[in-house]
Amino acid sequence: MSVEILTYGALGARLNISPVAARSLARRLRLPRSLSEDGKALVSVDLAEIRHTPQPVGRRQAGEVAQWTAKLAALEAEIAQLEARAAGHRADFEHERARADRLMDELLQARAEITAAREAAARLEGEVAVLRTRARTDSSIDKTERRLGQLAATLVESDRKAARG
C-alpha cells in the first residue's frame, strides 16, 4: 500500500487512460488533491486499491460518431429544405409586393381620373345652369341652344373617355 502523488497525466499513463479520464476518475473516487509549485493538480492515490479497467477505445466512440454524423446529415438536409422553402416564400412575397404596388398605382390613377371627372361634371353643370337662366331671360335662344348642344357633346365625349380608360 504505497500512496503516490501523481499529476493527472501521470495517473492516466499508469492506468492507460487519458488525462481527462484520470481527472474524472479522481473526482469520482474523491481522491485527495493538491496543487504543485508549478500550478498543476496532484492526486494522492494508492494504485493497488484502484480497480479500473479502461474501456476499449473506438468501439463505443465509433458508434456514437456514426450516430452523430447521421443526425448531423439529417439536420443539414432539413436546413437545406427550410432554406429552399424560405426562398420560395420570399419569391412569393416579392411577387405579391410588386402586384400590390401596381394595384396601388392603378388605384391612385383611378382616383385622379374620378376627381377630374367630378370637377368637369360640376363645371359643365354650372354652365348648363347659366345657359338655362339665360335662355329664360335672353332673347337669343339660338346661341343658347347651340351652346347646350356643345355641352351635351362635351359630356358624351367625357363619358366615352371615362368608359375607355
Side-chain angles (χ1 to χ4, degrees):
M1 274 221 281
S2 66
V3 175
E4 295 182 43
I5 299 177
L6 304 170
T7 63
Y8 292 130
L11 179 62
R14 286 280 196 79
L15 296 176
N16 203 17
I17 58 176
S18 70
V20 175
R23 180 176 183 265
S24 177
L25 181 66
R27 292 177 101 193
R28 199 171 48 246
L29 296 176
R30 296 183 183 163
L31 298 175
R33 291 175 288 178
S34 62
L35 286 178
S36 67
E37 291 178 5
D38 59 354
K40 291 186 177 185
L42 298 174
V43 180
S44 301
V45 62
D46 184 4
L47 292 173
E49 290 183 8
I50 295 180
R51 301 191 195 288
H52 178 73
T53 55
Q55 293 184 351
V57 177
R59 197 173 78 214
R60 187 181 81 185
Q61 289 178 351
E64 288 178 2
V65 168
Q67 181 182 12
W68 287 110
T69 304
K71 283 185 180 182
L72 180 63
L75 289 173
E76 286 175 345
E78 187 176 350
I79 287 171
Q81 287 176 345
L82 290 173
E83 285 176 346
R85 191 181 306 165
H89 290 312
R90 185 68 181 170
D92 290 345
F93 170 77
E94 293 297 332
H95 173 73
E96 291 300 322
R97 177 74 181 257
R99 186 171 154 247
D101 289 343
R102 283 192 311 272
L103 289 174
M104 184 56 82
D105 290 342
E106 290 176 18
L107 181 64
L108 292 173
Q109 180 66 30
R111 188 174 186 171
E113 289 173 3
I114 288 171
T115 303
R118 283 183 180 158
E119 290 172 358
R123 182 180 47 83
L124 292 173
E125 285 176 2
E127 287 185 29
V128 169
V130 167
L131 288 174
R132 283 187 181 151
T133 313
R134 273 193 203 158
R136 290 184 196 139
T137 60
D138 200 5
S139 60
S140 60
I141 293 179
D142 291 337
K143 288 182 181 178
T144 304
E145 285 179 353
R146 228 177 312 140
R147 183 65 185 144
L148 279 173
Q150 289 173 348
L151 286 174
T154 306
L155 282 171
V156 170
E157 185 180 334
S158 295
D159 189 39
R160 285 183 182 159
K161 283 183 183 177
R164 278 187 250 140

